[in-house]
Amino acid sequence: MPTILPLALILQTTTAVPPPSVVVQGTPATQVMPGDPQRTEEDVQRSSVASDIVVTARRREERAQNVPIALSVVGVKEIDDTGSFNVARLQQLQPTLQFYSTNPRNSSVNIRGLGAPLGLTNDGIDQGVGVYIDQVYLSRVAAATLDFLDVQQVETLRGPQGTLYGKNTVAGAINITSRAPSFDFEGRAEVSAGNLDFKQAKASISGPLGDRVAARLGLATTSRRGTVFNVRSGTYVNEQDNLGVRGALLFRASDSLDFTLSGDYSRQNPECCAQIFVRVGNTQRPLNRQFDALARAQGYEPVSRNPFDRLTDLDAELNAKNVLGGASLRGELETGAGRLTSITAWRFWDWLPANDRDFTGLPITTLSQNPTHQDQYTQEFRFAGDGKGFDYVVGLFGFYQDIHTTGVQRQGSAASRWLINPSTRDTSVAGSPFLANDPSVLDGLTANNDIRLKNFSGALFGKFNWRIDDRFTLSPGFRVNYDDKVGSYVSIVRDAQGNLVPYSGGTARQAAQRDAIQPQAFTDEAYRAWNVSYDLTGSYKPAQDVLLYATYAHSFKSGGLNLNGVPVVNGVVQTQLAQIAPEKVDHFEAGVKSQFWDRRATLNVTGFWTTIRDYQAIVNNQSTSTLRGYLANAGKVRVRGIEADFSIRPSDRLTAYLNGAFNDARYLDFKNAPCPPELSGGGSGTPIGAPGAPGTNSPIVCDISGQRLPGVSKWAFSYGGEYNLPARLFGLDGQTYVGVDASTRTTFSSNASRSIYTDIDGYTLTNLRAGFRSTNGFNVFGWVRNVFDTRYYEVLATTPGNTGLIAGNVGDPQTYGITLGKSF
């Protein structure tokens, strides 16, 4: 079996001990691969660094610069030196990667603005960015919030990858590769400490257990004090508390057959996740039904109206326990015709949350918990072969998911006044008071939800590379996929005395209770469909270190089921809205990958144009008392832009990089969209009031065709570099170094329908590091993240009740610390 050294090992074994540099599109500034037939021995000797990036983006080992895909690669040294220990941190190095999270379950990983609806948790839909760890597909994006465990490198593939990476990779894929067991004894350890009581430790060890068996064990733990102080509980919230372990056994059954058995366990258990008061924006509700008036009526004032005071007074329990793990067995057989790979895997996910869903210190929603358990099973068979002038990959993939969520929501004593329109009178009792003034109407009102999904998917896929001549290659691909999803949603609502709240009818009191929490049920709702993805890529090498390529891809994101509930009209559950059609994607991309100055400089440029029909978008049932999120299919979305990635190493002393992206992401056709808060909550009829004008009429729906998609900036950049000098410290030969990494993004929307209240201003984050690394693997450095203590928001959100309250997550303040590491 041919051996290709991974990036980290190559960098560790070069005598010059080059400093790490952020890798762009899979390529550091200077690259020579000793086995590259296009490079002479003189080239290898003349180059300052005998290394190259090897990726498996097309399910075989290749030089990144030879792969006609827009991709970015971050190796182990870049992960360690930049503190990019999870996907949230990784996005600062990659301008077209977006990650948003209000808690681990309610997270979105997007590429070029596409992937998953921002801010919606729904068991019945799939993500559009596939996350893979050691070739195993992870169906829940919650995995992206966890620390990387003993990772070798992370490849981010941009654009549809459906023919090799699965049915739901319409935006791209994140391919995470762990370090493999080694027959040479090796290990590494790293500890970090910083302000906010930050503590992190990572360690791994690997070596032989016999002539044919090698083992590897990796551990990681991270803890940090919260960044927001809850004056109600007297504790800091939004903390970090992560623990992970991964083990692997490699059995070399013969010279041509390997088996790798691996298992992992990761756990987060922080007091999290608080979204705090940011601002109040007027809606079209009557003025006495908006936040400030409602708060005054109950003698309430937020503990601070400046979110960067980092204070809150949330009165409900907070927890975000997130546990993932599993096991996989990978077999790889080298035959005379190619390599046969089998990957069998089981994964589990347990989510045990507690939230304060009213975002205030008032007892409005006193309990909001939706614990979830999932089991996932996957089996993949893949064969990679070569022939005269061509190579190919074909495979079979099977996936089964069983997920069960049991939710509880309970209203408190302040809910009646906050949620019920005071004009509503209980006419069933003569002389009864306004329901809004009777706390007992909603106090203790409880919904028990039971949500189930059984999801099967099977696929046949293949990719063919036909080398027409030494310069031109044609690469068609296909995937035939079948989905079978069966789901149920049952929400039973009872008042404080245990009486059932009916779907419709009853008293005005019960109608008010339904407005707060709508009971409903549908069971065994099914979505079944066949789909076909295909793509065609042409690549041409006009020169030794230049690759031109163009791609057309037709792909899809699976349809699904609305398992957050659907509207109920006159007591009838609108089950016709339970199913969501698949997204249909047409994608065009063209790019150039180039290296020059003896491969000391790399410039890669990509242009892309993607249109999506039946885009899966959030729709809200805008009543005066609740916002019920569910999915529907918007008409059409278009994303187009250009990306450029440049890196340079003029000498062994200096490296630098600049990555940039322009992205024009818009709804082309979305006439039946939810309205933003400034056009919501008012009366029905005409004329429609001005945005944010209290006591006026609101449109039923809004036409947001032409508006930008949420979560994506028009411009985004990452840039930085590192400089080193030879030095001797503690009797060790090595280098002192200083490095800087920064990222800049322009304004983006944080609401499905763009709102004047939820635009997030652009910002720049700058990180510094300085330290010493020795030739024998010792490394010590100090670091500062967010050097200038930039104030920024990660997410802004409208809140239940349509009162105009905007809550959000403030970004991390300036943090600093020191890291010590040793590898051998």
Side-chain angles (χ1 to χ4, degrees), residues 447-646:
N448 287 277
N449 304 326
D450 188 86
I451 307 169
R452 299 173 186 265
L453 174 70
K454 296 184 184 298
N455 179 10
F456 169 78
S457 180
L460 168 68
F461 61 90
K463 188 76 173 180
F464 183 82
N465 299 312
W466 176 28
R467 294 183 292 276
I468 296 175
D469 57 31
D470 291 341
R471 295 178 181 270
F472 184 60
T473 300
L474 200 61
S475 304
F478 75 94
R479 187 181 198 93
V480 180
N481 195 93
Y482 176 71
D483 286 302
D484 187 329
K485 299 181 179 181
V486 179
S488 301
Y489 178 88
V490 178
S491 179
I492 298 173
V493 181
R494 290 183 170 88
D495 63 18
Q497 289 72 44
N499 301 311
L500 284 172
V501 176
Y503 285 11
S504 63
T507 65
R509 182 185 185 92
Q510 290 172 325
Q513 292 168 341
R514 276 196 307 275
D515 280 343
I517 307 177
Q518 174 66 61
Q520 62 174 284
F522 57 86
T523 60
D524 296 329
E525 191 70 28
Y527 170 84
R528 298 181 175 95
W530 288 89
N531 282 279
V532 177
S533 296
Y534 49 88
D535 56 40
L536 179 64
T537 298
S539 59
Y540 178 70
K541 296 201 73 170
Q544 178 175 278
D545 289 325
V546 178
L547 176 69
L548 305 176
Y549 66 93
T551 296
Y552 166 71
H554 177 77
S555 187
F556 77 100
K557 186 170 82 170
S558 170
L561 301 172
N562 271 314
L563 296 184
N564 272 7
V566 295
V568 179
V569 180
N570 297 324
V572 178
V573 180
Q574 304 297 293
T575 55
Q576 75 276 12
L577 300 177
Q579 293 194 23
I580 309 103
E583 294 183 351
K584 304 171 186 67
V585 182
D586 287 292
H587 172 80
F588 299 88
E589 184 165 318
V592 55
K593 293 187 173 185
S594 64
Q595 293 181 292
F596 49 95
W597 195 11
D598 195 24
R599 292 189 175 175
R600 292 178 179 274
T602 298
L603 176 62
N604 297 334
V605 181
T606 306
F608 57 90
W609 189 299
T610 306
T611 56
I612 301 179
R613 288 171 292 138
D614 293 329
Y615 179 75
Q616 295 171 354
I618 298 174
V619 172
N620 289 330
N621 178 20
Q622 300 266 7
S623 75
T624 58
S625 61
T626 186
L627 297 175
R628 177 171 293 281
Y630 63 97
L631 280 179
N633 294 100
K636 194 173 184 180
V637 160
R638 183 205 62 214
V639 176
R640 61 184 178 183
I642 188 168
E643 304 159 340
D645 300 270
F646 176 71

Side-chain angles (χ1 to χ4, degrees), residues 149 218-221 242-246 265-267:
L149 273 177
L219 302 167
T221 178
N242 302 347
L243 173 67
V245 58
R246 179 185 182 275
Y265 172 87
S266 295
R267 185 227 68 201

Side-chain angles (χ1 to χ4, degrees), residues 241-557:
D241 182 7
N242 302 347
L243 173 67
V245 58
R246 179 185 182 275
L249 286 173
L250 169 62
F251 172 47
R252 185 143 291 164
S254 69
D255 291 342
S256 60
L257 179 60
D258 285 352
F259 290 99
T260 302
L261 177 65
S262 61
D264 65 275
Y265 172 87
S266 295
R267 185 227 68 201
Q268 292 174 312
N269 193 24
E271 187 175 359
C272 188
C273 299
Q275 291 179 268
I276 65 176
F277 180 101
V278 172
R279 63 174 66 102
V280 174
N282 279 345
T283 70
Q284 293 176 320
R285 299 180 88 182
L287 195 58
N288 67 343
R289 300 294 302 139
Q290 304 210 33
F291 178 85
D292 287 329
L294 290 169
R296 283 194 301 270
Q298 301 201 53
Y300 175 73
E301 173 63 23
V303 63
S304 173
R305 288 184 177 247
N306 179 1
F308 294 101
D309 287 342
R310 300 180 185 275
L311 297 173
T312 190
D313 59 351
L314 300 184
D315 58 333
E317 179 187 0
L318 293 177
N319 190 48
K321 189 171 184 179
N322 185 37
V323 182
L324 297 102
S328 68
L329 176 65
R330 184 173 72 248
E332 296 174 293
L333 174 66
E334 289 287 344
T335 70
R339 174 181 292 186
L340 176 64
T341 301
S342 170
I343 305 165
T344 306
W346 161 74
R347 308 275 321 160
F348 75 90
W349 175 50
D350 284 315
W351 169 237
L352 299 168
N355 305 294
D356 192 325
R357 301 310 302 169
D358 59 60
F359 306 95
T360 72
L362 288 169
I364 301 169
T365 301
T366 57
L367 186 64
S368 178
Q369 301 177 1
N370 289 281
T372 298
H373 176 78
Q374 174 192 275
D375 286 296
Q376 169 196 307
Y377 305 87
T378 56
Q379 174 64 56
E380 183 170 355
F381 295 104
R382 195 170 62 240
F383 186 81
D386 294 275
K388 187 175 181 180
F390 67 89
D391 61 74
Y392 61 91
V393 176
V394 294
L396 290 169
F397 175 76
F399 166 84
Y400 179 75
Q401 173 191 35
D402 188 343
I403 185 167
H404 185 198
T405 297
T406 53
V408 179
Q409 178 178 331
R410 181 177 300 135
Q411 304 304 122
S413 58
S416 293
R417 182 167 291 183
W418 199 264
L419 299 177
I420 299 176
N421 190 323
S423 65
T424 302
R425 181 184 295 273
D426 186 349
T427 58
S428 64
V429 180
S432 65
F434 290 114
L435 295 178
N437 296 325
D438 183 355
S440 70
V441 176
L442 297 186
D443 190 14
L445 185 72
T446 302
N448 287 277
N449 304 326
D450 188 86
I451 307 169
R452 299 173 186 265
L453 174 70
K454 296 184 184 298
N455 179 10
F456 169 78
S457 180
L460 168 68
F461 61 90
K463 188 76 173 180
F464 183 82
N465 299 312
W466 176 28
R467 294 183 292 276
I468 296 175
D469 57 31
D470 291 341
R471 295 178 181 270
F472 184 60
T473 300
L474 200 61
S475 304
F478 75 94
R479 187 181 198 93
V480 180
N481 195 93
Y482 176 71
D483 286 302
D484 187 329
K485 299 181 179 181
V486 179
S488 301
Y489 178 88
V490 178
S491 179
I492 298 173
V493 181
R494 290 183 170 88
D495 63 18
Q497 289 72 44
N499 301 311
L500 284 172
V501 176
Y503 285 11
S504 63
T507 65
R509 182 185 185 92
Q510 290 172 325
Q513 292 168 341
R514 276 196 307 275
D515 280 343
I517 307 177
Q518 174 66 61
Q520 62 174 284
F522 57 86
T523 60
D524 296 329
E525 191 70 28
Y527 170 84
R528 298 181 175 95
W530 288 89
N531 282 279
V532 177
S533 296
Y534 49 88
D535 56 40
L536 179 64
T537 298
S539 59
Y540 178 70
K541 296 201 73 170
Q544 178 175 278
D545 289 325
V546 178
L547 176 69
L548 305 176
Y549 66 93
T551 296
Y552 166 71
H554 177 77
S555 187
F556 77 100
K557 186 170 82 170

Side-chain angles (χ1 to χ4, degrees), residues 37-48:
Q38 296 181 345
R39 303 292 283 177
T40 66
E41 184 63 27
E42 182 181 355
D43 290 330
V44 174
Q45 294 174 354
R46 189 168 64 243
S47 177
S48 62

Side-chain angles (χ1 to χ4, degrees), residues 86-95 97-100 745:
N86 58 27
V87 173
R89 294 286 184 88
L90 193 65
Q91 68 174 334
Q92 293 185 26
L93 304 180
Q94 301 181 2
L97 176 66
Q98 297 98 29
F99 178 77
Y100 305 101
R745 62 181 307 182

